Amino acid sequence: MLAFKATTSFPPLLLAAPDTIQQHQTRLLPAAMPEYKLIYFNARGRAELVRWIFAYGDIPYTDERFEMEDWPEKKPSVPGGRVPVLLVDDKPLLQSLAIARYAARQASLIPEDSLEAARCDALVDTTAEIMGEVYSNVFKLDKEKMAEVFKDDLTPKLITPFLTSLEADLEDQEWFASGQVTWADLAIGLVVGGLKQFDADLLSQYPGVEALVSRVMALPNIKEWNDKQPELNF
Amino acid sequence: MLAFKATTSFPPLLLAAPDTIQQHQTRLLPAAMPEYKLIYFNARGRAELVRWIFAYGDIPYTDERFEMEDWPEKKPSVPGGRVPVLLVDDKPLLQSLAIARYAARQASLIPEDSLEAARCDALVDTTAEIMGEVYSNVFKLDKEKMAEVFKDDLTPKLITPFLTSLEADLEDQEWFASGQVTWADLAIGLVVGGLKQFDADLLSQYPGVEALVSRVMALPNIKEWNDKQPELNF
């Protein structure tokens, strides 16, 4: 099992144990931040968006990972019995998108306007849907067959309609919603960017989306996080 | 195609055309509410939670429905090309849960506290996941085979873990989160309540959940909405 603290640019005080934080709290510090522990396979999968959000927001957390083959043994000790799970002061929060939205709220990655926030939700839901469909195929097909299914089935059915609407929505905006980086931009960078492994030219007809993906990848905290990531199968 | 205004207890002024509303707006009225149109099949499916939330909140909207067999003809005229879609002053918002969460925000069905809101999100995601799995089976199996799959596969894999954790979380609370009705309670009432059609005794070992479902069904606006619903296949 791997367990390591994510490196952050937070002042050391906030990385100390919670009782130490409380003892030393002053008006200069935000309200005591909960202790976060994210538990997932040693994979990107359904946890990586949460990790990107924590990285973007410089939010300290324990990134606890285990190998796939250890899951049956590990499962009984995991609160809620499913992963990803985020422990917030030891209380389990389940469901990858609920965790990501909560983290995004802490990282100021959600628009204040409720309709703009909803547009981000919809976009993240669609990226998750695409990711789910892609991986359900990746896990059962060999590389050649997967390339075929990606091109002939997934692209026309799911990916083209999504990229087309995204390109239209973006127009010449720098970010997708509210003129600010949101968790929807991070989800696009992660999921749409990741799809290029199945078709290197995927974004050639979507210059706005391609530029958005590059912009997300170039965010300093995201770049730093990705640069230090180990090689992972998914 | 069916299209009708949901009946509401809103003052007639708010059901008038938007320009009329603006002309007559006074400090007694909330800020001008957008015009809402929900487009979906003539079915409960992935739109019913949104309809329950609008009913609960007395929020006026056009509930536009069409028959399944008309979808290929209808699709090109539907903004976004997918359903459900909520038009907010003619702008499309996609994804059933993004729509439901947005509606829930308008209906004050989301806790202020971000962790409590996230717990509701997680719960709604799990109900949606269960609904998706159940319906993917219902559509391909006959009644007898479905009862078998429900009992031998879906119940141990998905439903029992969910009901067990829900029962534990509820303890002796009246509502799931924050001591108030939330959209998570409505989702449980709708989805978990609906599962009883596959197993009438499903909730017998979960008295807290069973009481919650009954409490949701007895909310006056929810009861009124359900009482006037037509018979639908799903």
Side-chain angles (χ1 to χ4, degrees):
Chain A
M1 184 195 305
L2 305 169
F4 52 89
K5 284 274 182 188
T7 58
T8 72
S9 57
F10 254 74
L13 189 57
L14 275 180
L15 289 171
D19 54 345
T20 319
I21 293 174
Q22 286 203 322
Q23 278 173 13
H24 293 279
Q25 203 160 23
T26 73
R27 276 195 236 163
L28 291 173
L29 286 173
M33 198 177 282
E35 284 266 297
Y36 296 125
K37 183 192 281 188
L38 181 67
I39 307 176
Y40 193 62
F41 304 113
N42 183 29
R44 283 185 282 269
R46 296 199 179 275
E48 193 66 8
L49 179 57
V50 182
R51 297 188 189 117
W52 280 31
I53 292 167
F54 278 144
Y56 177 88
D58 277 330
I59 295 172
Y61 69 108
T62 303
D63 188 15
E64 184 173 312
R65 304 178 185 216
F66 57 90
E67 300 304 327
M68 288 273 228
E69 61 266 29
D70 297 330
W71 176 235
E73 192 193 336
K74 173 96 182 157
K75 186 176 160 74
S77 71
V78 173
R82 295 176 68 171
V83 290
V85 58
L86 181 70
L87 302 186
V88 182
D89 288 335
D90 294 328
K91 284 198 197 111
L93 176 62
L94 290 169
Q95 288 285 0
S96 57
L97 299 186
I99 297 168
R101 188 178 297 102
Y102 170 76
R105 173 74 61 205
Q106 315 308 310
S108 303
L109 280 170
I110 296 187
E112 280 304 310
D113 177 80
S114 63
L115 187 55
E116 290 289 285
R119 290 178 63 234
C120 292
D121 284 339
L123 206 146
V124 172
D125 283 352
T126 305
T127 61
E129 198 174 280
I130 288 172
M131 195 176 87
E133 285 265 5
V134 168
Y135 280 107
S136 74
N137 282 289
V138 162
F139 287 133
K140 65 188 181 206
L141 303 175
D142 65 30
K143 204 172 166 179
E144 202 173 315
K145 182 73 186 155
M146 178 61 203
E148 199 183 304
V149 167
F150 188 84
K151 184 162 167 265
D152 299 340
D153 181 39
L154 296 174
T155 297
K157 189 180 76 179
L158 269 179
I159 299 169
T160 297
F162 180 58
L163 294 178
T164 304
S165 79
L166 200 53
E167 187 73 19
D169 282 352
L170 273 169
E171 293 175 354
D172 54 358
Q173 296 177 94
E174 197 179 9
W175 305 109
F176 179 76
S178 295
Q180 63 170 87
V181 186
T182 69
W183 71 310
D185 299 306
L186 300 197
I188 296 166
L190 177 64
V191 173
V192 176
L195 293 178
K196 291 206 288 187
Q197 72 184 281
F198 302 107
D199 175 0
D201 283 339
L202 183 69
L203 299 183
S204 59
Q205 289 172 66
Y206 309 96
V209 181
E210 184 146 52
L212 180 79
V213 169
S214 303
R215 219 173 279 132
V216 169
M217 296 303 193
L219 290 167
N221 284 9
I222 298 298
K223 186 172 183 323
E224 184 192 339
W225 173 255
N226 284 328
D227 284 350
K228 73 177 185 207
Q229 279 297 286
E231 281 295 316
L232 294 166
N233 287 331
F234 77 98
Chain B
M1 185 194 304
L2 305 170
F4 54 88
K5 284 273 181 185
T7 58
T8 73
S9 57
F10 255 75
L13 190 57
L14 274 181
L15 289 170
D19 55 345
T20 318
I21 292 173
Q22 286 203 324
Q23 278 171 14
H24 294 277
Q25 204 160 26
T26 73
R27 276 194 234 161
L28 291 173
L29 287 172
M33 200 177 280
E35 285 265 299
Y36 296 125
K37 183 191 284 187
L38 181 67
I39 307 177
Y40 193 61
F41 304 113
N42 183 29
R44 284 185 281 270
R46 296 200 178 275
E48 193 66 8
L49 178 58
V50 181
R51 297 191 189 115
W52 279 32
I53 292 167
F54 278 144
Y56 178 87
D58 276 331
I59 294 172
Y61 70 107
T62 303
D63 187 16
E64 183 173 312
R65 304 176 185 217
F66 57 91
E67 299 303 329
M68 288 272 226
E69 61 266 29
D70 296 332
W71 175 236
E73 194 192 334
K74 174 96 183 153
K75 185 176 160 75
S77 72
V78 173
R82 295 175 68 170
V83 288
V85 59
L86 180 71
L87 302 186
V88 182
D89 288 335
D90 294 328
K91 283 195 197 115
L93 176 63
L94 290 168
Q95 288 284 0
S96 56
L97 298 186
I99 298 169
R101 187 178 298 101
Y102 170 76
R105 173 72 61 204
Q106 315 309 309
S108 303
L109 281 169
I110 296 187
E112 280 304 310
D113 178 79
S114 63
L115 187 55
E116 290 289 284
R119 290 177 63 235
C120 291
D121 284 338
L123 205 145
V124 172
D125 283 351
T126 305
T127 61
E129 197 175 279
I130 288 172
M131 196 175 86
E133 286 264 5
V134 168
Y135 279 107
S136 75
N137 282 288
V138 162
F139 287 133
K140 64 187 180 205
L141 302 176
D142 66 29
K143 205 173 165 180
E144 200 173 317
K145 183 71 186 159
M146 178 62 205
E148 199 183 305
V149 167
F150 188 84
K151 185 163 168 263
D152 298 341
D153 180 38
L154 296 175
T155 297
K157 188 180 75 178
L158 268 180
I159 299 169
T160 298
F162 180 58
L163 293 177
T164 304
S165 79
L166 201 53
E167 187 74 19
D169 281 352
L170 273 168
E171 292 175 351
D172 54 357
Q173 296 178 95
E174 197 179 9
W175 305 110
F176 179 76
S178 296
Q180 62 170 86
V181 186
T182 69
W183 70 309
D185 299 305
L186 300 197
I188 296 166
L190 177 63
V191 174
V192 176
L195 293 179
K196 289 206 288 186
Q197 71 184 284
F198 303 107
D199 175 359
D201 283 340
L202 183 69
L203 300 183
S204 60
Q205 290 171 67
Y206 309 96
V209 181
E210 184 145 52
L212 179 79
V213 169
S214 302
R215 218 174 278 131
V216 169
M217 295 303 193
L219 289 167
N221 284 9
I222 298 298
K223 188 173 181 321
E224 184 193 339
W225 173 254
N226 284 330
D227 285 349
K228 74 176 185 207
Q229 279 298 285
E231 283 294 316
L232 294 167
N233 286 332
F234 75 99

